[in-house]
């Protein structure tokens, strides 16, 4: 994404052109960025040849998942719906991991029938439920146990998952009990220790700490885990020139760990694969001068893109046509929804803009469309995949008749 002749451009197409053909709000994804991200992710961890399972919850567009599948990735799913999408996108069941704290019997039965690679259980009750269902089907099912390593991921509180006050995983005491329990079970086959300490992690140190904790726990449990699932969480830089995760150091820490434990590593990245491939184009409906500041009211809202309202996340927000006239007044970019949290970002200075201009919100490929809703009976935006100068509609804009 860059300005060419003052026009903001994704691959070889300007957002102006996209909006003219497909209207706004519209999600646009860059195919080549997706490809580059996957290539880089693989390169960063080449020396440990992990199984990479894309976290489907970050972007549930089946066409995107199909592209990701073509690069050989598996899937990490957290619901039956996501499992269905992953299978329909062509991901082989032997590359699918099922995570989540609240899998229902229906979901577990479906996962077992589809012969997925691994179910990562997060409680004693869940292990016993999987065991009961497996027994009724006369099967032995491969499971992992998610450990809560009580490690602070040093990320936003709302997306931290590896501290003891978080609902995820089991503590060390329960973990040891479950290892013992599984050893004596005829219907669950404990293959994996899994962790996932949070999202948007930019510091390698929490990962190092997490590996130290796992190391101790494996030694103490005296059990040979064929797989270690380290989850996802690798952060991206949402702002220019911000800190980047040091993949080298993370990988080095894993290699050190693998010298002691001969396991295969699984990753479940979401954001780091799709976060920066997505852009949301939106049109300015009104500019309202409220004295101290201007409210820039967009046709995109929190129902289309929820991260700012949900986590206070800040995303680069750019005019699709650049000029050099700076307005020295606060501009607050908001949506039309009847909630005060329906705001995206504000700037002390922004370039001169007017009603009907186009605004692009950047890095919305992860937890963008997948978190969208129909709040205020607003149809969901169209999704487009851009490859060079080609634009593919990968999901149509919802119509009012779909909603009413
Ligand atoms: C959300 C989630 C992921 C993906 O996290 P990212 O920050 O998008 O990489 C991976 N594993 C589990 C269990 C998750 O809940």
């Amino acid at each position: 994404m860059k300005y060419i002749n003052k026009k903001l451009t994704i691959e070889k197409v300007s957002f102006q052109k996209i909006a003219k053909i497909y209207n706004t709000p519209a999600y646009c994804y860059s195919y080549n960025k997706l490809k580059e991200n996957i290539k880089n992710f693989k390169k960063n961890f080449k020396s440990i040849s992990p199984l990479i399972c894309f976290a489907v919850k970050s972007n549930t567009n089946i066409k995107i998942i199909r592209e990701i599948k073509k690069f050989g990735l598996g899937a990490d799913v957290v619901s039956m719906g996501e499992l269905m999408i992953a299978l329909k996108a062509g991901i082989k069941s032997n590359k699918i991991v099922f995570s989540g704290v609240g899998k229902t019997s229906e979901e577990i039965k479906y996962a077992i029938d589809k012969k997925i690679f691994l179910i990562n259980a997060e409680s004693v009750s869940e292990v016993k439920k999987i065991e009961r269902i497996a027994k009724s089907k006369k099967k032995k099912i491969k499971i992992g146990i998610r450990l809560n390593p009580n490690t602070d991921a040093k990320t936003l509180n709302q997306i931290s998952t590896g501290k003891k006050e978080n609902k995820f995983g089991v503590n060390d005491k329960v973990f040891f009990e479950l290892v013992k329990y599984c050893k004596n079970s005829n219907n669950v086959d404990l293959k994996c220790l899994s962790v996932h300490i949070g999202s948007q992690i930019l510091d390698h140190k929490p990962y190092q700490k997490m590996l130290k904790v796992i190391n101790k726990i494996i030694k103490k449990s005296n059990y040979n885990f064929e797989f270690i699932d380290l989850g996802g969480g690798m952060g991206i830089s949402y702002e220019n020139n911000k800190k980047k995760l040091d993949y080298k150091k993370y990988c080095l820490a894993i290699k050190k760990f693998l010298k002691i434990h001969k396991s295969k590593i699984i990753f479940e990245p979401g954001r780091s694969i799709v976060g920066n491939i997505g852009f949301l184009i939106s049109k300015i409906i009104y500019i309202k001068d409220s004295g101290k500041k201007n409210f820039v009211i967009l046709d995109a809202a929190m129902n289309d893109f929820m991260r700012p309202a949900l986590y206070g996340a800040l995303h680069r927000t750019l005019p699709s046509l650049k000029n050099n006239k700076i307005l020295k007044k606060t501009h607050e970019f908001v949506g039309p929804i009847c909630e005060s949290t329906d705001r995206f970002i504000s700037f002390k200075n922004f370039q001169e803009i007017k009603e009907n201009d186009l605004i692009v919100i950047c890095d919305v490929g992860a937890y963008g469309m997948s978190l969208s809703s129909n709040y205020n009976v607003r149809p969901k935006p169209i999704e487009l995949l851009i490859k060079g100068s080609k634009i593919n509609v990968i999901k149509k804009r919802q119509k009012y008749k779909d909603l009413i």
Side-chain angles (χ1 to χ4, degrees), residues 173-210:
K173 193 171 143 266
V174 177
F175 187 85
F176 297 133
E177 282 167 21
L178 279 175
V179 172
K180 214 193 261 163
Y181 183 86
C182 292
K183 276 186 192 164
N184 299 315
S185 170
N186 294 319
N187 300 100
V188 290
D189 183 7
L190 180 58
K191 289 275 188 197
C192 178
L193 180 160
S194 90
V195 284
H196 172 72
I197 57 173
S199 204
Q200 185 50 16
I201 298 169
L202 290 167
D203 184 354
H204 62 278
K205 288 192 199 89
Y207 282 127
Q208 286 177 333
K209 222 160 135 191
M210 164 189 100

Side-chain angles (χ1 to χ4, degrees), residues 55 57-58 76 78 99-100 122 146 161 168 195-196 198-201 229 231-234 268-272 366-367:
K57 74 172 188 282
S58 63
D76 165 51
V78 292
S99 307
E122 302 207 19
R146 176 158 171 189
T161 56
F168 302 98
V195 284
H196 172 72
S199 204
Q200 185 50 16
I201 298 169
D229 182 343
M234 296 81 172
E268 305 166 344
R271 191 189 311 270
S272 50
Y367 310 104

Side-chain angles (χ1 to χ4, degrees), residues 38-53:
I38 294 174
K39 217 175 90 195
N40 284 338
F41 194 96
K42 283 184 177 170
K43 201 171 85 193
N44 287 328
F45 295 110
K46 191 166 181 248
S47 56
I48 56 169
S49 47
L51 171 64
I52 307 168
C53 295

Side-chain angles (χ1 to χ4, degrees), residues 73 84 152:
L73 272 60
M84 288 168 165
D152 189 347

Side-chain angles (χ1 to χ4, degrees), residues 111-128:
I112 291 176
D113 290 344
K114 293 293 169 192
K115 301 188 173 69
I116 70 163
F117 169 53
L118 194 65
I119 303 176
N120 281 332
E122 302 207 19
S123 62
V124 175
S125 304
E126 189 188 341
V127 171
K128 290 186 176 168

